[in-house]
Amino acid sequence: MEPQSRNNRNRRSERGSSHFDHNNHQTHSQHRDDHRSFDHSRNNNRNGYHRQHSSQPEQADVQVEVGQRFPLTIKRLGINGEGIGYYRHKITFVPGALPDEVVVAEVTHVAAHFLNAKVHQIRKESDHRVTPPDTQSAEVGGFELSHLDYPSQLAFKRDVIRQALEKFQPRGWENYDLRPTIGMADPYHYRNKAQFQVRQDADGNVIAGLYKEGTHDLVDLPEASTQNDATMTVIRALVKMLQELQVPIYNEEANSGIIKTLVVRSSEASGEVQVTFVTNSQKLPHKRELLALIEERLPQVVSVMQNVNQSKTSLVWGDKTTKLMGQDYITETLLGKQFQLSPRAFLQLNPKQTTRLYEETIKALDLTHADHLVDAYSGVGTIGLSLADRAGEVRGMDTIEESVDDANRNADLNGITNAEYSVGTAEDLLPQWVSQGWRPDALVVDPPRAGLADTMIDTIMQVQPEKFVYVSCNPSTLAQNLVELGRVYRVEYIQSIDMFPQTARVEAVVKLVLR
């Protein structure tokens, strides 16, 4: 499987089990949506931070035990949103702590080059601390920064990019124009998709939610401030139906039961909602009664699907998806264009900020009607089709045939005749097109968290499109890629965009021009 494909996500398995789009290594959708995994691994990040930021020699003989408590002054935030301090010169990561706070830290893990700790007590509180709206935010993922006021969150996300650049030091990085992060007027209720695990508690009640950090203990989430109201209304109603009908719920230890996961996606433009039951079997007991209840109680649900995943792994999605009721798709509208979404199709989870992201991409590319544009890692074509009326021709590609079919169908849906999508990798298709006499003037890439593969970078350096925009979801791999790209391209600016308020994740639009 190619590293640059949308179904290859760079993520940390030990933290990927507690987020709204849970544990999927299979599609671009789930992995771009996974706002829990920010870098290659927590330990790698922490060792890198120690080497990069520790201005004092480490005391290798410091004796620390799990459970030990000590006062700690927090110096800054790490790229995963943890507070960072130093205990006898040893870097210490404390989730939930903020810069300038003095906390009593309780050690939870001891490693050779760093400590993990939790907040036992806050002795001096930051002026930027706020009370999170979610009582479960400290237990599950997806709320890493909910205790930090929003202006400070935006400043942090810009600084995360600066820290990544400082670590990898691409050519000219000190002079990059890092523009202030574009935030939201209301940084809550933005997520248009919920992906919740379903289990039974000790009393036999059906619950749906997220796992506690580092465990498979499910936390029921009747409310979640980052989810939009439509998804949460449907999730809670479905839980009640499953309880009423006594549909068998999956038991992870016994690998028995049927319902494993509920996936609910809503369209902001149309109000349509799509439901997918991820099941442990092709059988769905009480299916007829369940569908009747959905039709009666949830008229906004226009599409009901079943995905079968019989594996015992942490992957959410299986290979087979069938329609149980209603439409094959729901339709979302972005920048005046309609996009039909199948259950596993990729679409950014924040519609309002997606519009801003695409507007910034359009501005950075500055296309003319003579330009040939390549839309790499295209998914269902949202970026390329949003740019099609500004370009002469758009060619896109993705390694997932299902996504390419969606992209070409979305082109037809919008009457776009100058865009075509193909199955394959950019490093394979681009040289073929060039050899056939079709050379791109412009390129937009929206790679997975692993960034651009070396073969893709080599292809870009050979073809050298004049206009080039890199849409990044991972500052670390962006900075690494810019080391190589910087030999041919100059970074004109980096515009960060907050797609995931209350989390440590940040997206960026990078405008590059040939030197």
Side-chain angles (χ1 to χ4, degrees):
M1 192 177 298
E2 291 297 326
Q4 73 286 355
S5 77
R6 288 197 175 260
N7 54 342
N8 184 354
R9 288 284 136 192
N10 184 8
R11 56 188 300 158
R12 298 191 305 275
S13 60
E14 71 272 19
R15 298 194 67 192
S17 60
S18 56
H19 47 76
F20 286 111
D21 296 279
H22 171 78
N23 292 11
N24 190 332
H25 299 260
Q26 296 168 291
T27 66
H28 176 269
S29 171
Q30 276 62 51
H31 289 283
R32 280 299 297 269
D33 296 351
D34 174 11
H35 58 63
R36 295 290 296 118
S37 59
F38 191 80
D39 212 330
H40 301 296
S41 72
R42 177 176 295 276
N43 287 2
N44 285 345
N45 285 343
R46 292 180 168 179
N47 288 327
Y49 267 90
H50 172 78
R51 291 191 300 269
Q52 180 183 350
H53 292 291
S54 182
S55 59
Q56 301 170 324
E58 180 184 334
Q59 302 298 312
D61 59 349
V62 172
Q63 297 298 310
V64 184
E65 297 180 351
V66 172
Q68 183 174 337
R69 297 172 183 170
F70 47 77
L72 188 70
T73 299
I74 305 301
K75 302 296 186 181
R76 64 186 176 281
L77 291 179
I79 61 176
N80 296 296
E82 308 102 322
I84 293 179
Y86 293 88
Y87 177 64
R88 297 181 181 175
H89 310 301
K90 194 161 192 170
I91 192 166
T92 304
F93 296 87
V94 188
L98 295 176
D100 300 323
E101 289 189 331
V102 178
V103 304
V104 176
E106 180 176 327
V107 177
T108 58
H109 175 74
V110 179
H113 298 292
F114 64 88
L115 302 175
N116 289 346
K118 64 181 180 180
V119 175
H120 174 71
Q121 179 186 9
I122 300 176
R123 289 185 174 177
K124 177 189 173 186
E125 190 173 280
S126 168
D127 292 338
H128 300 287
R129 177 175 286 277
V130 296
T131 301
D134 299 276
T135 57
Q136 307 94 337
S137 61
E139 294 186 88
V140 300
F143 303 93
E144 298 92 335
L145 298 180
S146 62
H147 57 298
L148 181 64
D149 67 52
Y150 193 55
S152 299
Q153 289 187 34
L154 298 180
F156 161 77
K157 296 187 180 194
R158 181 188 184 194
D159 189 59
V160 164
I161 297 173
R162 183 197 60 77
Q163 291 182 48
L165 295 171
E166 183 180 357
K167 180 177 179 181
F168 293 101
Q169 300 192 359
R171 181 178 176 182
W173 68 272
E174 305 97 322
N175 299 317
Y176 284 4
D177 177 10
L178 300 182
R179 300 187 173 179
T181 304
I182 297 173
M184 300 186 70
D186 177 10
Y188 294 100
H189 306 294
Y190 60 84
R191 294 180 67 94
N192 61 4
K193 187 168 78 169
Q195 193 160 287
F196 284 5
Q197 301 304 300
V198 184
R199 300 291 185 268
Q200 283 182 300
D201 65 16
D203 298 322
N205 298 312
V206 179
I207 60 174
L210 308 177
Y211 292 130
K212 290 183 181 179
E213 290 264 17
T215 76
H216 273 216
D217 297 331
L218 197 67
V219 177
D220 192 30
L221 290 180
E223 297 178 348
S225 65
T226 56
Q227 287 290 153
N228 69 20
D229 292 339
T231 59
M232 292 305 295
T233 296
V234 171
I235 286 277
R236 301 321 303 178
L238 292 173
V239 166
K240 186 176 181 180
M241 293 175 198
L242 295 174
Q243 182 82 43
E244 284 182 28
L245 297 173
Q246 296 186 337
V247 178
I249 304 301
Y250 183 64
N251 182 298
E252 191 169 11
E253 292 183 2
N255 192 33
S256 63
I258 302 296
I259 303 292
K260 300 174 83 172
T261 310
L262 294 177
V263 184
V264 176
R265 172 151 57 183
S266 66
S267 165
E268 185 173 79
S270 67
E272 296 174 331
V273 176
Q274 182 178 70
V275 169
T276 303
F277 295 99
V278 180
T279 63
N280 190 40
S281 166
Q282 294 186 21
K283 297 179 181 179
L284 182 54
H286 306 290
K287 177 172 69 175
R288 183 176 300 175
E289 299 98 312
L290 182 60
L291 294 177
L293 285 180
I294 291 173
E295 193 169 17
E296 175 190 344
R297 300 179 186 177
L298 296 171
Q300 68 271 45
V301 174
V302 300
S303 173
V304 182
M305 303 285 185
Q306 179 183 3
N307 176 269
V308 179
N309 179 9
Q310 295 176 305
S311 72
K312 297 180 183 179
T313 69
S314 61
L315 306 181
V316 165
W317 293 92
D319 293 330
K320 183 179 180 182
T321 303
T322 57
K323 182 173 70 173
L324 301 180
M325 183 178 75
Q327 304 170 183
D328 293 326
Y329 312 96
I330 61 172
T331 303
E332 185 61 275
T333 302
L334 297 169
L335 295 178
K337 293 183 172 61
Q338 293 185 321
F339 297 94
Q340 291 181 335
L341 305 173
S342 56
R344 295 174 62 184
F346 170 70
L347 184 71
Q348 294 278 7
L349 296 181
N350 186 334
K352 289 184 175 63
Q353 292 297 83
T354 299
T355 298
R356 295 300 304 272
L357 181 75
Y358 291 174
E359 287 172 344
E360 290 299 322
T361 302
I362 290 169
K363 182 168 64 176
L365 276 172
D366 191 24
L367 296 172
T368 72
H369 291 294
D371 287 331
H372 290 172
L373 170 68
V374 168
D375 175 17
Y377 311 92
S378 62
V380 299
T382 49
I383 292 180
L385 297 178
S386 296
L387 292 160
D389 56 0
R390 294 169 168 81
E393 184 179 354
V394 177
R395 293 190 182 185
M397 71 284 287
D398 200 288
T399 58
I400 300 177
E401 185 174 358
E402 180 181 329
S403 295
V404 171
D405 290 343
D406 285 348
N408 286 318
R409 186 177 57 255
N410 285 326
D412 292 340
L413 179 67
N414 290 283
I416 295 171
T417 59
N418 65 334
E420 183 177 359
Y421 288 84
S422 303
V423 178
T425 66
E427 49 266 46
D428 288 338
L429 292 175
L430 259 178
Q432 292 178 26
W433 295 341
V434 171
S435 68
Q436 295 165 1
W438 192 91
R439 179 175 289 274
D441 307 289
L443 169 68
V444 58
V445 298
D446 183 12
R449 296 192 56 73
L452 300 174
D454 291 341
T455 49
M456 178 58 175
I457 292 176
D458 291 342
T459 301
I460 293 171
M461 306 286 263
Q462 292 167 12
V463 177
Q464 295 188 18
E466 180 181 352
K467 301 174 181 180
F468 179 17
V469 167
Y470 187 138
V471 179
S472 168
C473 63
N474 187 340
S476 180
T477 53
L478 169 64
Q480 293 178 62
N481 289 163
L482 289 177
V483 172
E484 293 300 314
L485 293 171
R487 294 190 285 112
V488 172
Y489 285 92
R490 174 179 59 83
V491 172
E492 186 162 316
Y493 64 80
I494 300 178
Q495 175 62 69
S496 49
I497 298 173
D498 187 17
M499 295 291 292
F500 300 99
Q502 318 310 322
T503 80
R505 283 281 303 275
V506 62
E507 304 256 338
V509 173
V510 186
K511 180 173 183 177
L512 300 106
V513 294
L514 284 170
R515 291 190 179 277

Coordinates of all heavy atoms in Angstrom, one line a residue, residues 200-235:
Q200 N -22.6 -2.5 26.2 CA -23.5 -2.5 27.4 C -22.7 -2.3 28.6 O -21.6 -2.9 28.8 CB -24.3 -3.9 27.4 CG -25.4 -4.0 26.4 CD -26.1 -5.3 26.5 OE1 -25.6 -6.3 26.3 NE2 -27.4 -5.2 26.8
D201 N -23.3 -1.6 29.6 CA -22.6 -1.4 30.8 C -22.9 -2.5 31.8 O -23.6 -3.5 31.4 CB -23.0 0.0 31.4 CG -24.4 0.1 31.8 OD1 -25.1 -0.9 31.9 OD2 -24.9 1.3 32.0
A202 N -22.4 -2.4 33.0 CA -22.6 -3.5 34.0 C -24.0 -3.8 34.3 O -24.4 -4.9 34.7 CB -21.8 -3.2 35.2
D203 N -24.9 -2.8 34.1 CA -26.3 -3.0 34.4 C -27.1 -3.4 33.2 O -28.3 -3.5 33.2 CB -26.9 -1.7 35.0 CG -26.3 -1.3 36.3 OD1 -26.0 -2.2 37.1 OD2 -26.1 -0.1 36.5
G204 N -26.4 -3.7 32.0 CA -27.1 -4.1 30.8 C -27.7 -3.0 30.0 O -28.4 -3.2 29.0
N205 N -27.3 -1.7 30.3 CA -27.8 -0.6 29.6 C -26.9 -0.4 28.3 O -25.7 -0.5 28.4 CB -27.8 0.7 30.4 CG -28.7 0.6 31.6 OD1 -29.9 0.2 31.5 ND2 -28.2 0.9 32.8
V206 N -27.5 0.0 27.2 CA -26.8 0.3 26.0 C -26.2 1.7 26.1 O -26.9 2.6 26.4 CB -27.7 0.2 24.7 CG1 -26.9 0.5 23.5 CG2 -28.3 -1.2 24.6
I207 N -24.9 1.8 25.9 CA -24.2 3.1 25.9 C -23.4 3.3 24.6 O -23.0 2.3 23.9 CB -23.2 3.2 27.1 CG1 -22.1 2.1 27.1 CG2 -24.0 3.1 28.4 CD1 -21.1 2.2 28.1
A208 N -23.2 4.5 24.3 CA -22.4 4.8 23.0 C -21.5 6.0 23.4 O -21.9 7.0 23.9 CB -23.4 5.2 21.9
G209 N -20.3 5.9 23.0 CA -19.3 7.0 23.3 C -17.9 6.6 22.8 O -17.7 6.0 21.8
L210 N -17.0 7.1 23.7 CA -15.5 6.9 23.4 C -14.8 6.2 24.5 O -15.3 6.2 25.6 CB -14.9 8.3 23.2 CG -15.6 9.3 22.2 CD1 -14.9 10.6 22.2 CD2 -15.6 8.7 20.8
Y211 N -13.7 5.7 24.2 CA -12.9 5.0 25.2 C -12.1 6.0 26.0 O -11.7 7.0 25.5 CB -11.9 4.0 24.5 CG -12.5 2.9 23.8 CD1 -12.1 2.5 22.5 CD2 -13.4 2.0 24.5 CE1 -12.7 1.4 21.9 CE2 -13.9 0.9 23.9 CZ -13.6 0.6 22.6 OH -14.1 -0.5 21.9
K212 N -11.9 5.6 27.3 CA -10.9 6.4 28.1 C -9.5 6.2 27.5 O -9.2 5.3 26.8 CB -10.9 5.8 29.5 CG -12.2 6.1 30.3 CD -12.0 5.6 31.7 CE -13.3 5.8 32.6 NZ -13.1 5.3 34.0
E213 N -8.7 7.3 27.8 CA -7.4 7.3 27.3 C -6.6 6.0 27.6 O -6.6 5.5 28.7 CB -6.6 8.4 27.9 CG -7.0 9.8 27.5 CD -6.2 10.3 26.4 OE1 -5.4 9.5 25.7 OE2 -6.2 11.5 26.1
G214 N -6.1 5.3 26.5 CA -5.3 4.2 26.7 C -6.0 2.9 27.2 O -5.3 2.0 27.6
T215 N -7.3 2.9 27.1 CA -8.0 1.7 27.6 C -9.1 1.4 26.6 O -9.3 2.1 25.6 CB -8.7 2.0 28.9 OG1 -9.9 2.8 28.7 CG2 -7.8 2.7 29.9
H216 N -9.8 0.3 26.9 CA -11.0 0.0 26.1 C -12.3 0.1 27.1 O -13.2 -0.7 26.9 CB -10.9 -1.4 25.5 CG -10.3 -1.3 24.1 ND1 -10.6 -2.1 23.1 CD2 -9.3 -0.5 23.6 CE1 -9.9 -1.8 22.0 NE2 -9.1 -0.8 22.3
D217 N -12.2 0.9 28.0 CA -13.3 1.2 28.9 C -14.1 2.3 28.3 O -13.6 3.5 28.1 CB -12.8 1.7 30.3 CG -12.0 0.6 31.0 OD1 -12.3 -0.6 30.7 OD2 -11.1 0.9 31.8
L218 N -15.4 2.0 27.9 CA -16.2 3.0 27.1 C -16.8 4.0 28.1 O -17.4 3.6 29.1 CB -17.2 2.3 26.3 CG -17.9 3.1 25.2 CD1 -16.9 3.4 24.1 CD2 -19.1 2.3 24.6
V219 N -16.8 5.3 27.7 CA -17.4 6.3 28.4 C -18.7 6.8 27.6 O -18.6 7.2 26.5 CB -16.5 7.6 28.6 CG1 -17.2 8.7 29.3 CG2 -15.2 7.2 29.4
D220 N -19.8 6.6 28.2 CA -21.1 7.1 27.6 C -21.1 8.6 27.4 O -20.7 9.3 28.3 CB -22.2 6.6 28.5 CG -23.6 6.8 27.7 OD1 -23.6 6.6 26.5 OD2 -24.6 7.0 28.4
L221 N -21.5 9.0 26.2 CA -21.4 10.5 26.0 C -22.8 10.9 25.5 O -23.2 11.0 24.3 CB -20.4 10.8 24.9 CG -19.0 10.7 25.2 CD1 -18.1 11.1 24.0 CD2 -18.6 11.6 26.4
P222 N -23.7 11.3 26.5 CA -25.0 11.8 26.1 C -24.9 13.2 25.4 O -25.7 13.6 24.6 CB -25.7 12.0 27.5 CG -25.0 11.1 28.4 CD -23.5 11.1 27.9
E223 N -23.8 13.9 25.7 CA -23.5 15.2 25.1 C -22.0 15.3 24.7 O -21.2 14.7 25.3 CB -23.9 16.3 26.0 CG -25.3 16.4 26.4 CD -25.6 17.5 27.4 OE1 -24.6 18.1 28.0 OE2 -26.8 17.8 27.7
A224 N -21.8 16.1 23.7 CA -20.4 16.4 23.3 C -20.4 17.7 22.6 O -21.0 17.9 21.6 CB -19.8 15.3 22.4
S225 N -19.7 18.7 23.2 CA -19.8 20.1 22.8 C -19.2 20.3 21.4 O -19.5 21.3 20.8 CB -19.1 21.0 23.8 OG -17.7 20.7 23.8
T226 N -18.3 19.4 20.9 CA -17.8 19.6 19.6 C -18.6 19.0 18.5 O -18.4 19.3 17.3 CB -16.3 19.0 19.5 OG1 -16.4 17.7 19.9 CG2 -15.4 19.8 20.4
Q227 N -19.6 18.2 18.8 CA -20.5 17.6 17.8 C -21.6 18.5 17.5 O -22.1 19.2 18.4 CB -21.0 16.2 18.3 CG -20.0 15.1 18.4 CD -19.6 14.6 17.0 OE1 -18.5 14.1 16.8 NE2 -20.5 14.8 16.0
N228 N -22.1 18.4 16.3 CA -23.3 19.2 16.0 C -24.5 18.5 16.6 O -24.5 17.4 16.9 CB -23.4 19.6 14.5 CG -23.8 18.4 13.7 OD1 -24.3 17.3 14.1 ND2 -23.5 18.5 12.4
D229 N -25.6 19.3 16.7 CA -26.8 18.8 17.4 C -27.4 17.6 16.6 O -28.0 16.7 17.2 CB -27.8 19.9 17.6 CG -27.3 21.0 18.6 OD1 -26.5 20.7 19.4 OD2 -27.9 22.1 18.5
A230 N -27.3 17.7 15.3 CA -28.0 16.7 14.5 C -27.4 15.3 14.8 O -28.1 14.3 14.9 CB -27.9 17.0 13.0
T231 N -26.1 15.2 14.8 CA -25.5 13.9 15.0 C -25.8 13.3 16.4 O -26.1 12.2 16.6 CB -23.9 13.9 14.8 OG1 -23.4 14.9 15.7 CG2 -23.6 14.3 13.4
M232 N -25.7 14.2 17.4 CA -25.9 13.7 18.8 C -27.4 13.4 19.0 O -27.7 12.4 19.7 CB -25.5 14.8 19.8 CG -24.0 15.0 19.8 SD -23.0 13.5 20.1 CE -23.5 13.1 21.8
T233 N -28.3 14.1 18.4 CA -29.8 13.8 18.5 C -30.0 12.4 18.0 O -30.7 11.5 18.6 CB -30.6 14.8 17.8 OG1 -30.5 16.1 18.4 CG2 -32.1 14.4 17.8
V234 N -29.4 12.1 16.8 CA -29.6 10.8 16.2 C -28.9 9.7 17.0 O -29.5 8.6 17.2 CB -29.2 10.8 14.7 CG1 -29.2 9.4 14.1 CG2 -30.1 11.7 13.9
I235 N -27.7 9.9 17.4 CA -27.0 8.9 18.2 C -27.8 8.5 19.5 O -28.0 7.3 19.7 CB -25.6 9.4 18.7 CG1 -24.6 9.5 17.5 CG2 -25.1 8.6 19.8 CD1 -24.0 8.1 17.2

